[in-house]
Amino acid sequence: MILQPILVSLKVTFVAVLLIVLVSIFLVRWLSERSFRGQKLLETLIMLPLVLPPTIVGYGLLLLLGRNGLLGKTWTSIFDTSFIFTWGAAVVAAFIVGLPLMYQSLKGSILAIDVRYIQAAQTLGLEENKIFWTIKLPLAKHGLISGIALSFARALGEFGATLMVAGNIPGKTQTVPIALYFAVEAGRVTEANALLAFMLLSSLGLIFLITSQRRVMS
Amino acid sequence: MLMVDLQKQLHLFRLECAFKVDKEVLAITGESGAGKSSLLKMVAGLMRPDSGQIALGSRILYDEKKSIDLRPQKRRVGFVFQDFALFPHLSVEDNLTLVQKKKNILEVHDWLDTFGVVALAKRYPHEISGGQKQRVALARALITNPDFLLLDEPFSSLDPETREKMYREFMNFRKQWSLGVILVTHNPIEAQLLADKVLELKDGHVIRERFNHLVGTIITMEEDANYRTLRIATLGTFLRVVKPEYFSLGRYQVGQRVELSIKPEHVLLAKQVGEGIFASNRLDGKVERIQYTKRSVKVSVRMQKDLLLSVCSSHMASKLDLKVDDKVSCLLAEDAIELMNSR
């Protein structure tokens, strides 16, 4: 009974974190090396889900991805089905709430790199693209790893926004936190305890990973 | 030939500097905060001057008027940082292969071998000593085949023993590669030892320029109770060098090549009219440049490959009525000639 939500949670979280890593690398590369009008606004938008209540994020996504939403309408016209209440919607919710943590962690690590390594690379004739992939990113490895751990934990624990855009469909969109909520509400104590144990163990593991990375860094 | 003429408003002062460097070593000295490192960064393209021009041979690296500002990647100027800036996540070998246009491990090993560090190829920067890091950093800069080399305090982080050793290696290196080098150092002895020319910077301005550096061969050495006297052949003539009795001749021998230096204020100028001058310690040449400053006149005299700088009062200069290309004689005070590193 608890296996289904765990599998859904892992599937949603893995896909979301993969997207988070790719998008964060792209954003950090793009935003840290040039400045343009509206850059601060874009960064604020990326960071916004960090401070907004998850239900607000969920409602915002619902407006955007719902049947009459800007993106939802387009999706429906192409695929002839609603995007809301699919596991893809759960991925989007997890992505939105996890992205700021990854972005912040990676950007912080990249900006903390001793500028002399970058300058040395420039005088040695390395182009910016090569500098990013062969020097900046490897030197920001610890930030990348703790960013993955943080965003994984955040995505795994996502509840409010996921419930609003993906609902509670067992085997499809019912993730561990949602299953836990409904198990407690229905008085299924054993199931709730098992889900609690899973969440606790996975979170502890992730926090251990983050702190050991911080130790390596210092 | 690197030509630099640039201006930049820094935090505490305005940096204004103009100089030329041929295939030689120019040392830039001065206290910390004098603008030395900023100057290097501007030559490398890591900092933008407010105005001026930087040219390397026929290539213009920076020209404010023509809006030219080549990126560091396009300047072909090698830069060795004070703490060497070896990429910490890459092995010694990979530090070099990364900067190659086309990966060629044999060439990398050749370079590491030249600097005696090929045995460390697989080690990481944190596993090797300061002197070894310096060699790797030099190899890494040279493998990119730069047209010019900038060294920012490359000896300052080394312990005294290693530093002495690296000085010797640096002098050998100079013989092997005919590359123009700017060496930034806060150590005046290091500058005198390693460089052909020395510029001293203070608050962003050149306060002293020393061109006077000659190479000669010892012909005779004599000593009496009061003086040590050496005759040194240089530039097709002989110079007499007189030193006080505490000067030890033990380090020198007849036939040995030595480097001589003399401060510009100890070089007297005489204008040649016909064959009219008979004097000892006389070197003949042509006036290449005359610079008028507030209190004095600096005259650069070209003799074959060497340039001798003389400083005289403006009164003296007007009396001599010097013009560029005039034939002049430089008279060197025999007790003011310094003998530098003996080899």
Side-chain angles (χ1 to χ4, degrees), chain B residues 69-98:
Chain B
D69 185 14
L70 289 191
R71 293 183 300 130
Q73 285 92 334
K74 299 284 173 211
R75 294 199 175 198
R76 299 178 57 84
V77 170
F79 198 127
V80 175
F81 286 76
Q82 186 170 359
D83 54 3
F84 316 121
L86 296 178
F87 305 130
H89 60 299
L90 297 177
S91 66
V92 163
E93 180 178 273
D94 290 342
N95 261 276
L96 272 74
T97 48
L98 182 70

mmCIF file of all heavy atoms in Angstrom, chain B residues 69-98:
data_model
loop_
_atom_site.group_PDB
_atom_site.id
_atom_site.type_symbol
_atom_site.label_atom_id
_atom_site.label_comp_id
_atom_site.label_asym_id
_atom_site.label_seq_id
_atom_site.Cartn_x
_atom_site.Cartn_y
_atom_site.Cartn_z
ATOM 1 N N ASP B 69 39.809 46.777 -27.938
ATOM 2 C CA ASP B 69 40.098 46.207 -26.624
ATOM 3 C C ASP B 69 40.018 44.692 -26.756
ATOM 4 O O ASP B 69 38.972 44.095 -26.575
ATOM 5 C CB ASP B 69 39.092 46.732 -25.586
ATOM 6 C CG ASP B 69 39.428 46.262 -24.185
ATOM 7 O OD1 ASP B 69 40.556 45.760 -23.974
ATOM 8 O OD2 ASP B 69 38.575 46.379 -23.298
ATOM 9 N N LEU B 70 41.154 44.086 -27.132
ATOM 10 C CA LEU B 70 41.152 42.635 -27.340
ATOM 11 C C LEU B 70 40.890 41.913 -26.028
ATOM 12 O O LEU B 70 41.368 42.311 -24.973
ATOM 13 C CB LEU B 70 42.511 42.171 -27.887
ATOM 14 C CG LEU B 70 42.879 42.529 -29.314
ATOM 15 C CD1 LEU B 70 44.119 41.744 -29.729
ATOM 16 C CD2 LEU B 70 41.749 42.242 -30.278
ATOM 17 N N ARG B 71 40.122 40.820 -26.119
ATOM 18 C CA ARG B 71 39.872 40.001 -24.937
ATOM 19 C C ARG B 71 41.182 39.322 -24.533
ATOM 20 O O ARG B 71 42.055 39.124 -25.381
ATOM 21 C CB ARG B 71 38.821 38.936 -25.263
ATOM 22 C CG ARG B 71 37.451 39.538 -25.545
ATOM 23 C CD ARG B 71 36.420 38.457 -25.802
ATOM 24 N NE ARG B 71 36.788 37.635 -26.946
ATOM 25 C CZ ARG B 71 36.805 36.308 -26.920
ATOM 26 N NH1 ARG B 71 36.512 35.656 -25.819
ATOM 27 N NH2 ARG B 71 37.128 35.629 -27.992
ATOM 28 N N PRO B 72 41.326 38.943 -23.253
ATOM 29 C CA PRO B 72 42.580 38.299 -22.823
ATOM 30 C C PRO B 72 42.919 37.091 -23.695
ATOM 31 O O PRO B 72 44.094 36.846 -23.992
ATOM 32 C CB PRO B 72 42.293 37.852 -21.389
ATOM 33 C CG PRO B 72 41.078 38.569 -20.955
ATOM 34 C CD PRO B 72 40.363 39.084 -22.152
ATOM 35 N N GLN B 73 41.880 36.369 -24.115
ATOM 36 C CA GLN B 73 42.090 35.159 -24.918
ATOM 37 C C GLN B 73 42.787 35.450 -26.241
ATOM 38 O O GLN B 73 43.418 34.577 -26.828
ATOM 39 C CB GLN B 73 40.742 34.492 -25.241
ATOM 40 C CG GLN B 73 40.111 33.751 -24.071
ATOM 41 C CD GLN B 73 39.160 34.602 -23.279
ATOM 42 O OE1 GLN B 73 39.278 35.826 -23.249
ATOM 43 N NE2 GLN B 73 38.225 33.981 -22.599
ATOM 44 N N LYS B 74 42.615 36.690 -26.743
ATOM 45 C CA LYS B 74 43.136 37.021 -28.063
ATOM 46 C C LYS B 74 44.471 37.759 -27.989
ATOM 47 O O LYS B 74 45.041 38.114 -29.009
ATOM 48 C CB LYS B 74 42.128 37.910 -28.818
ATOM 49 C CG LYS B 74 40.787 37.257 -29.054
ATOM 50 C CD LYS B 74 40.884 36.245 -30.176
ATOM 51 C CE LYS B 74 39.592 35.441 -30.315
ATOM 52 N NZ LYS B 74 39.835 34.081 -30.788
ATOM 53 N N ARG B 75 44.964 38.026 -26.774
ATOM 54 C CA ARG B 75 46.148 38.884 -26.661
ATOM 55 C C ARG B 75 47.463 38.137 -26.823
ATOM 56 O O ARG B 75 48.482 38.730 -27.095
ATOM 57 C CB ARG B 75 46.126 39.619 -25.323
ATOM 58 C CG ARG B 75 44.967 40.597 -25.250
ATOM 59 C CD ARG B 75 45.163 41.640 -24.200
ATOM 60 N NE ARG B 75 44.063 42.601 -24.271
ATOM 61 C CZ ARG B 75 44.078 43.808 -23.750
ATOM 62 N NH1 ARG B 75 45.125 44.231 -23.082
ATOM 63 N NH2 ARG B 75 43.053 44.616 -23.882
ATOM 64 N N ARG B 76 47.443 36.832 -26.608
ATOM 65 C CA ARG B 76 48.660 36.010 -26.657
ATOM 66 C C ARG B 76 49.718 36.543 -25.679
ATOM 67 O O ARG B 76 50.883 36.708 -26.008
ATOM 68 C CB ARG B 76 49.234 35.945 -28.079
ATOM 69 C CG ARG B 76 48.261 35.316 -29.081
ATOM 70 C CD ARG B 76 48.829 35.316 -30.473
ATOM 71 N NE ARG B 76 50.111 34.627 -30.534
ATOM 72 C CZ ARG B 76 50.253 33.324 -30.669
ATOM 73 N NH1 ARG B 76 49.192 32.561 -30.739
ATOM 74 N NH2 ARG B 76 51.452 32.792 -30.721
ATOM 75 N N VAL B 77 49.249 36.860 -24.486
ATOM 76 C CA VAL B 77 50.131 37.342 -23.431
ATOM 77 C C VAL B 77 50.020 36.351 -22.268
ATOM 78 O O VAL B 77 48.937 36.158 -21.729
ATOM 79 C CB VAL B 77 49.698 38.752 -22.975
ATOM 80 C CG1 VAL B 77 50.455 39.163 -21.729
ATOM 81 C CG2 VAL B 77 49.935 39.767 -24.097
ATOM 82 N N GLY B 78 51.120 35.697 -21.942
ATOM 83 C CA GLY B 78 51.110 34.732 -20.840
ATOM 84 C C GLY B 78 51.147 35.460 -19.512
ATOM 85 O O GLY B 78 51.734 36.532 -19.401
ATOM 86 N N PHE B 79 50.496 34.895 -18.508
ATOM 87 C CA PHE B 79 50.416 35.558 -17.206
ATOM 88 C C PHE B 79 50.666 34.501 -16.136
ATOM 89 O O PHE B 79 49.949 33.516 -16.070
ATOM 90 C CB PHE B 79 49.013 36.157 -17.043
ATOM 91 C CG PHE B 79 48.890 37.212 -15.974
ATOM 92 C CD1 PHE B 79 48.339 38.462 -16.272
ATOM 93 C CD2 PHE B 79 49.304 36.973 -14.686
ATOM 94 C CE1 PHE B 79 48.213 39.446 -15.304
ATOM 95 C CE2 PHE B 79 49.182 37.951 -13.702
ATOM 96 C CZ PHE B 79 48.635 39.177 -14.013
ATOM 97 N N VAL B 80 51.708 34.710 -15.333
ATOM 98 C CA VAL B 80 51.928 33.796 -14.211
ATOM 99 C C VAL B 80 51.571 34.550 -12.932
ATOM 100 O O VAL B 80 52.165 35.576 -12.628
ATOM 101 C CB VAL B 80 53.381 33.276 -14.172
ATOM 102 C CG1 VAL B 80 53.611 32.432 -12.924
ATOM 103 C CG2 VAL B 80 53.668 32.449 -15.425
ATOM 104 N N PHE B 81 50.568 34.043 -12.235
ATOM 105 C CA PHE B 81 50.058 34.725 -11.046
ATOM 106 C C PHE B 81 50.956 34.479 -9.837
ATOM 107 O O PHE B 81 51.699 33.512 -9.789
ATOM 108 C CB PHE B 81 48.642 34.247 -10.743
ATOM 109 C CG PHE B 81 47.623 34.791 -11.699
ATOM 110 C CD1 PHE B 81 47.504 34.268 -12.979
ATOM 111 C CD2 PHE B 81 46.808 35.839 -11.345
ATOM 112 C CE1 PHE B 81 46.570 34.770 -13.866
ATOM 113 C CE2 PHE B 81 45.870 36.350 -12.226
ATOM 114 C CZ PHE B 81 45.764 35.818 -13.485
ATOM 115 N N GLN B 82 50.804 35.365 -8.873
ATOM 116 C CA GLN B 82 51.611 35.314 -7.657
ATOM 117 C C GLN B 82 51.546 33.934 -6.985
ATOM 118 O O GLN B 82 52.549 33.381 -6.600
ATOM 119 C CB GLN B 82 51.101 36.383 -6.694
ATOM 120 C CG GLN B 82 51.956 36.528 -5.467
ATOM 121 C CD GLN B 82 51.560 37.758 -4.675
ATOM 122 O OE1 GLN B 82 50.674 38.510 -5.054
ATOM 123 N NE2 GLN B 82 52.223 37.968 -3.567
ATOM 124 N N ASP B 83 50.321 33.394 -6.852
ATOM 125 C CA ASP B 83 50.225 32.061 -6.235
ATOM 126 C C ASP B 83 50.013 30.983 -7.308
ATOM 127 O O ASP B 83 49.531 29.907 -7.027
ATOM 128 C CB ASP B 83 49.124 32.031 -5.176
ATOM 129 C CG ASP B 83 47.807 32.508 -5.770
ATOM 130 O OD1 ASP B 83 47.779 32.795 -6.985
ATOM 131 O OD2 ASP B 83 46.806 32.590 -5.043
ATOM 132 N N PHE B 84 50.352 31.341 -8.527
ATOM 133 C CA PHE B 84 50.412 30.441 -9.686
ATOM 134 C C PHE B 84 49.072 30.027 -10.284
ATOM 135 O O PHE B 84 49.016 29.644 -11.434
ATOM 136 C CB PHE B 84 51.277 29.202 -9.403
ATOM 137 C CG PHE B 84 52.556 29.570 -8.705
ATOM 138 C CD1 PHE B 84 52.889 29.053 -7.473
ATOM 139 C CD2 PHE B 84 53.407 30.509 -9.269
ATOM 140 C CE1 PHE B 84 54.052 29.440 -6.819
ATOM 141 C CE2 PHE B 84 54.573 30.902 -8.632
ATOM 142 C CZ PHE B 84 54.893 30.369 -7.409
ATOM 143 N N ALA B 85 47.983 30.081 -9.483
ATOM 144 C CA ALA B 85 46.629 29.797 -9.986
ATOM 145 C C ALA B 85 46.549 28.520 -10.822
ATOM 146 O O ALA B 85 45.894 28.488 -11.854
ATOM 147 C CB ALA B 85 46.089 31.002 -10.785
ATOM 148 N N LEU B 86 47.218 27.469 -10.357
ATOM 149 C CA LEU B 86 47.047 26.174 -11.029
ATOM 150 C C LEU B 86 45.639 25.685 -10.702
ATOM 151 O O LEU B 86 45.192 25.828 -9.563
ATOM 152 C CB LEU B 86 48.081 25.167 -10.519
ATOM 153 C CG LEU B 86 49.544 25.503 -10.809
ATOM 154 C CD1 LEU B 86 50.453 24.437 -10.204
ATOM 155 C CD2 LEU B 86 49.795 25.610 -12.299
ATOM 156 N N PHE B 87 44.956 25.109 -11.701
ATOM 157 C CA PHE B 87 43.585 24.663 -11.459
ATOM 158 C C PHE B 87 43.620 23.514 -10.457
ATOM 159 O O PHE B 87 44.177 22.456 -10.754
ATOM 160 C CB PHE B 87 42.924 24.254 -12.771
ATOM 161 C CG PHE B 87 42.982 25.351 -13.810
ATOM 162 C CD1 PHE B 87 43.440 25.106 -15.090
ATOM 163 C CD2 PHE B 87 42.599 26.648 -13.482
ATOM 164 C CE1 PHE B 87 43.508 26.124 -16.029
ATOM 165 C CE2 PHE B 87 42.661 27.670 -14.421
ATOM 166 C CZ PHE B 87 43.124 27.409 -15.692
ATOM 167 N N PRO B 88 43.012 23.708 -9.267
ATOM 168 C CA PRO B 88 43.210 22.741 -8.187
ATOM 169 C C PRO B 88 42.570 21.384 -8.437
ATOM 170 O O PRO B 88 42.980 20.397 -7.842
ATOM 171 C CB PRO B 88 42.552 23.429 -6.981
ATOM 172 C CG PRO B 88 41.604 24.419 -7.554
ATOM 173 C CD PRO B 88 42.165 24.837 -8.865
ATOM 174 N N HIS B 89 41.572 21.336 -9.332
ATOM 175 C CA HIS B 89 40.871 20.070 -9.541
ATOM 176 C C HIS B 89 41.506 19.241 -10.651
ATOM 177 O O HIS B 89 41.016 18.169 -10.981
ATOM 178 C CB HIS B 89 39.401 20.344 -9.878
ATOM 179 C CG HIS B 89 39.221 21.169 -11.129
ATOM 180 N ND1 HIS B 89 39.717 22.446 -11.244
ATOM 181 C CD2 HIS B 89 38.617 20.896 -12.309
ATOM 182 C CE1 HIS B 89 39.406 22.923 -12.450
ATOM 183 N NE2 HIS B 89 38.751 22.000 -13.098
ATOM 184 N N LEU B 90 42.590 19.769 -11.228
ATOM 185 C CA LEU B 90 43.235 19.046 -12.334
ATOM 186 C C LEU B 90 44.668 18.679 -11.956
ATOM 187 O O LEU B 90 45.337 19.438 -11.252
ATOM 188 C CB LEU B 90 43.265 19.927 -13.589
ATOM 189 C CG LEU B 90 41.920 20.332 -14.187
ATOM 190 C CD1 LEU B 90 42.136 21.263 -15.370
ATOM 191 C CD2 LEU B 90 41.132 19.112 -14.626
ATOM 192 N N SER B 91 45.121 17.548 -12.466
ATOM 193 C CA SER B 91 46.501 17.139 -12.218
ATOM 194 C C SER B 91 47.431 18.103 -12.976
ATOM 195 O O SER B 91 46.990 18.857 -13.838
ATOM 196 C CB SER B 91 46.724 15.715 -12.698
ATOM 197 O OG SER B 91 46.590 15.663 -14.101
ATOM 198 N N VAL B 92 48.709 18.038 -12.629
ATOM 199 C CA VAL B 92 49.717 18.873 -13.286
ATOM 200 C C VAL B 92 49.617 18.729 -14.805
ATOM 201 O O VAL B 92 49.553 19.714 -15.547
ATOM 202 C CB VAL B 92 51.116 18.451 -12.781
ATOM 203 C CG1 VAL B 92 52.216 18.957 -13.702
ATOM 204 C CG2 VAL B 92 51.333 18.953 -11.356
ATOM 205 N N GLU B 93 49.543 17.490 -15.227
ATOM 206 C CA GLU B 93 49.463 17.188 -16.657
ATOM 207 C C GLU B 93 48.200 17.788 -17.286
ATOM 208 O O GLU B 93 48.253 18.431 -18.334
ATOM 209 C CB GLU B 93 49.443 15.668 -16.741
ATOM 210 C CG GLU B 93 49.362 15.028 -18.056
ATOM 211 C CD GLU B 93 49.422 13.510 -17.846
ATOM 212 O OE1 GLU B 93 50.540 12.979 -17.802
ATOM 213 O OE2 GLU B 93 48.365 12.868 -17.698
ATOM 214 N N ASP B 94 47.071 17.621 -16.584
ATOM 215 C CA ASP B 94 45.811 18.132 -17.119
ATOM 216 C C ASP B 94 45.750 19.661 -17.110
ATOM 217 O O ASP B 94 45.035 20.259 -17.906
ATOM 218 C CB ASP B 94 44.618 17.559 -16.335
ATOM 219 C CG ASP B 94 44.441 16.077 -16.608
ATOM 220 O OD1 ASP B 94 44.992 15.611 -17.628
ATOM 221 O OD2 ASP B 94 43.786 15.391 -15.807
ATOM 222 N N ASN B 95 46.484 20.288 -16.194
ATOM 223 C CA ASN B 95 46.579 21.739 -16.207
ATOM 224 C C ASN B 95 47.152 22.219 -17.533
ATOM 225 O O ASN B 95 46.815 23.298 -18.015
ATOM 226 C CB ASN B 95 47.461 22.235 -15.063
ATOM 227 C CG ASN B 95 46.654 22.711 -13.874
ATOM 228 O OD1 ASN B 95 46.201 23.845 -13.845
ATOM 229 N ND2 ASN B 95 46.456 21.840 -12.903
ATOM 230 N N LEU B 96 48.040 21.422 -18.106
ATOM 231 C CA LEU B 96 48.642 21.805 -19.381
ATOM 232 C C LEU B 96 47.799 21.363 -20.575
ATOM 233 O O LEU B 96 47.612 22.128 -21.511
ATOM 234 C CB LEU B 96 50.068 21.239 -19.510
ATOM 235 C CG LEU B 96 51.170 22.137 -18.944
ATOM 236 C CD1 LEU B 96 51.169 22.127 -17.426
ATOM 237 C CD2 LEU B 96 52.534 21.716 -19.463
ATOM 238 N N THR B 97 47.256 20.133 -20.505
ATOM 239 C CA THR B 97 46.482 19.663 -21.670
ATOM 240 C C THR B 97 45.231 20.518 -21.865
ATOM 241 O O THR B 97 44.826 20.762 -22.992
ATOM 242 C CB THR B 97 46.058 18.178 -21.544
ATOM 243 O OG1 THR B 97 45.498 17.985 -20.257
ATOM 244 C CG2 THR B 97 47.219 17.255 -21.744
ATOM 245 N N LEU B 98 44.666 21.000 -20.757
ATOM 246 C CA LEU B 98 43.444 21.800 -20.868
ATOM 247 C C LEU B 98 43.648 23.042 -21.742
ATOM 248 O O LEU B 98 42.747 23.455 -22.463
ATOM 249 C CB LEU B 98 42.969 22.231 -19.472
ATOM 250 C CG LEU B 98 41.670 23.029 -19.433
ATOM 251 C CD1 LEU B 98 40.486 22.145 -19.799
ATOM 252 C CD2 LEU B 98 41.437 23.665 -18.082
#
